[in-house]
Amino acid sequence: MRHALRGATLSFHRDPFLHDPESSYTYEPDALVIIDQGRIEACGPYRALADRIEPETPVTQYAKHELIVPGFIDSHVHYVQMPIIGAYGTQLIDWLERYAFVAEQRSADPAVAAATARAFLTECLRNGSTTGAVYCSVYPQSVDAFFTEAERLGMRMIAGKVLMDRNAPEVLRDTPQRGYDESEQLIARWHGQGRALYAITPRFAPTSSPEQMELAGALWQAHPGTYLQTHLSETHQELAWVHALYSERSDYLDVYDHYGQLGPRAIFGHGIHLSEREMQRLHESGSAIAHCPTSNEFLASGACRVHELKDARRPVRIGLATDLAGGSSFSPFETMLAAYRAAQVNGHSLSPLHAWYLATRGAAETLYLEDTIGSIAPGFEADLAVLDLASTPLIAGRLAECASLADQLFVQIVLADDRAIRATWVAGELRHDRGNAA
Ligand code: GUN
Ligand code: ZN
């Protein structure tokens, strides 16, 4: 049914790292967003659009202290690891063996996978997140469970079965041919089905044999429009391991390159310890980095050099990501704050506008979906989060001191949590509403 939202809107239409930040977004204090069949039909100042709606068209009116933004996009996340969020931390390789590999085995049971998917997507919606690039486990049933639940909610989701044939517990291993065949069946079942998109998902170079890497690249080349997601250059220990396993390759990225795994719709998680050559190659191949700052802090992996990756001479597509459950929060605010801290560690200040872009349009660019989601514009899918900018007494008080929109956004980034997510709309349907939640 055709309907509309009325309230303040904020949306990016281009990259503020590469253009004047102040002219990279649109803020409209009293906007009308007209939605028809899950898409934004029109949006702009209320006074300019009011005559486009009939008296009987339902209009959801938001308050002065509320702000309609594009739904947040998580460019790298492991839904099957949700049960171990907050497990007492170690560092990556030990953490994988001690926690992640144990949790992932539980998703072999379709009922467990379905319950985890349901809990995971509920939590995404409670945090205003509407799209993710999602790692399932090695079991095809974990992918079926995830897409089934996402379809029920109408969410645009990218996901895939992990490919892993070595350096993991026996029960979590496939073989090159079996991984290929199961992935291909999942592509046939899910890719392009409603809002689902498939990602071929070799976990990372150490857990795939050269034969599996070869087939993963071939499978991706054989199915244009699918994604390829994996991990890249997260820790020094991992780097040394990759070097030992693939000693004939010039660096970590060259391993993926050799197996035909670079290009548009290739999403590499982390990318912390990259060389200039690797950044250049990411740029020229159109590959993207998912920046996972809460995870990088939690596992003491390092701090991704966002400003260097965004060097205007060879900018790389970058989106923010939670990397749950190595990451420690579903919250886009906490993730943006961690990105701010990571930039600080590298001697840069990440402005709230830049952080917001990375969590919305920037993440859409990593997915090559920047013409579909991540902005509020005509023709875009109507995935929206509505923020309460005064969700706690502390924030409300602090807001009164803010002189600019950027200041207001930064206060949200530092202080807000899920209480600030007033509502979440998915393809024009209200899927989370704090007003009614109580
Ligand atoms: N590298 C390979 N697998 C994983 C994972 O599950 N989480 C993180 N953070 N890094 C990885
Ligand atoms: Zn990850």
Side-chain angles (χ1 to χ4, degrees), residues 211-252:
E211 296 71 34
Q212 181 159 69
M213 293 290 276
E214 185 85 46
L215 281 185
L219 181 62
W220 189 42
Q221 303 297 337
H223 293 277
T226 60
Y227 291 79
L228 185 134
Q229 58 183 354
T230 188
H231 295 80
L232 171 70
S233 206
E234 184 176 359
T235 74
H236 290 296
Q237 193 187 1
E238 171 202 13
L239 251 67
W241 198 14
V242 170
H243 184 69
L245 290 170
Y246 294 91
S247 54
E248 67 286 7
R249 305 269 61 94
S250 63
D251 52 42
Y252 197 165

Side-chain angles (χ1 to χ4, degrees), residues 145-162:
F146 183 76
F147 277 136
T148 298
E149 200 55 31
E151 183 174 56
R152 191 180 68 80
L153 295 163
M155 297 173 79
R156 182 161 286 293
M157 283 287 166
I158 298 167
K161 171 201 127 62
V162 159

Side-chain angles (χ1 to χ4, degrees), residues 54-69:
E54 321 297 328
E56 64 274 14
T57 304
V59 178
T60 306
Q61 169 92 50
Y62 287 106
K64 272 217 151 22
H65 59 88
E66 293 174 328
L67 177 65
I68 304 166
V69 296

